[in-house]
Amino acid sequence: DLLVGSVTLTDLFTFLKAYKAETNDLDQLYQRNVRRFLGGRGKVNKAIQETLRVAPERFGLYNNGITLVVTDFHAKEDDTYELVEPYVVNGCQTTRTIWEVCSQRLEAGGHGSSPELENWKVRADKGVVVTKIVRVGADGAALEQAITRYTNSQNAVREKDFLALTSDFRTWAMQMEDRYEVFLE
């Protein structure tokens, strides 16, 4: 009932395009999400955009990924899966930002070719999104709600929490441990 893996940025964009073509409304994919797309104005979404534009090949390293719930899934012969009634319950900001950036880059309507765009496409094909797909079944409303709740619950990380990642902090932590046998947190 659980698939965990990764999908390339370009394959996810292809899925999103196919979903929109089938339903005529990409937002339908987020009907069971706790919130809608916040646009590119927030700090996190700006950072997602920047990663996609500058380092798409590292996207899976920097992003927590997405969770979809489905009524069912079926393996196909080409090592892909058919998803029945998919809904993104965690990762709306991620998938919609991928949609926005890839649409701008890949669907801009130009007929020419630029070395910069070709280079970006190669790097985007190496970029992945960590993906979790959960089969909840036709009667899985309670399970779906629990998955949505738990995958969208976390303690807030404040800017000052990142202090522990600085080289100065790590040096101080080692010095405190060596000199005073104290764990610096």
Side-chain angles (χ1 to χ4, degrees), residues 42-44 47 154-166 169:
K43 180 180 170 183
V44 172
Q154 63 185 34
N155 294 321
V157 179
R158 298 172 309 272
E159 193 62 35
K160 69 180 183 176
D161 294 329
F162 290 103
L163 175 67
L165 300 177
T166 66
F169 185 89

Side-chain angles (χ1 to χ4, degrees), residues 15-26:
F15 166 78
L16 295 171
K17 281 193 326 184
Y19 185 90
K20 185 175 181 184
E22 181 75 23
T23 64
N24 295 316
D25 182 11
L26 187 59

Side-chain angles (χ1 to χ4, degrees), residues 144-158:
E144 181 181 308
Q145 287 176 359
I147 291 166
T148 302
R149 175 175 301 282
Y150 294 125
T151 60
N152 285 287
S153 299
Q154 63 185 34
N155 294 321
V157 179
R158 298 172 309 272

Side-chain angles (χ1 to χ4, degrees), residues 96-117:
R96 282 302 302 265
T97 303
I98 290 168
W99 171 260
E100 299 284 324
V101 171
C102 288
S103 292
Q104 292 168 359
R105 293 277 174 139
L106 303 173
E107 308 285 320
H111 298 292
S113 169
S114 80
E116 187 274 329
L117 179 59

Side-chain angles (χ1 to χ4, degrees), residues 8-185:
T8 67
L9 292 168
T10 51
D11 283 346
L12 181 59
F13 180 63
T14 299
F15 166 78
L16 295 171
K17 281 193 326 184
Y19 185 90
K20 185 175 181 184
E22 181 75 23
T23 64
N24 295 316
D25 182 11
L26 187 59
D27 287 333
Q28 200 172 309
L29 187 60
Y30 308 103
Q31 280 184 343
R32 298 182 184 171
N33 203 300
V34 294
R35 64 179 173 206
R36 296 286 181 239
F37 183 51
L38 300 175
R41 63 187 180 273
K43 180 180 170 183
V44 172
N45 288 4
K46 284 181 182 177
I48 294 171
Q49 287 175 358
E50 183 69 12
T51 299
L52 288 167
R53 289 187 179 113
V54 176
E57 68 278 9
R58 293 195 174 166
F59 191 83
L61 302 176
Y62 299 165
N63 185 277
N64 287 331
I66 64 174
T67 301
L68 292 96
V69 294
V70 299
T71 302
D72 202 1
F73 55 74
H74 308 284
K76 294 168 55 177
E77 290 182 14
D78 60 357
D79 290 333
T80 62
Y81 287 85
E82 177 186 350
L83 305 180
V84 179
E85 295 185 58
Y87 294 97
V88 173
V89 296
N90 182 269
C92 176
Q93 307 313 306
T94 296
T95 56
R96 282 302 302 265
T97 303
I98 290 168
W99 171 260
E100 299 284 324
V101 171
C102 288
S103 292
Q104 292 168 359
R105 293 277 174 139
L106 303 173
E107 308 285 320
H111 298 292
S113 169
S114 80
E116 187 274 329
L117 179 59
E118 294 306 316
N119 178 279
W120 184 85
K121 286 179 182 179
V122 168
R123 292 172 36 234
D125 279 336
K126 294 178 184 173
V128 299
V129 179
V130 176
T131 306
K132 179 169 54 173
I133 301 170
V134 183
R135 179 177 20 217
V136 295
D139 299 320
L143 177 58
E144 181 181 308
Q145 287 176 359
I147 291 166
T148 302
R149 175 175 301 282
Y150 294 125
T151 60
N152 285 287
S153 299
Q154 63 185 34
N155 294 321
V157 179
R158 298 172 309 272
E159 193 62 35
K160 69 180 183 176
D161 294 329
F162 290 103
L163 175 67
L165 300 177
T166 66
S167 62
D168 287 344
F169 185 89
R170 290 191 303 252
T171 300
W172 297 329
M174 287 188 309
Q175 290 172 349
M176 293 292 286
E177 185 176 340
D178 291 345
R179 290 184 189 162
Y180 307 108
E181 296 182 8
V182 173
F183 176 71
L184 182 62
E185 181 176 354

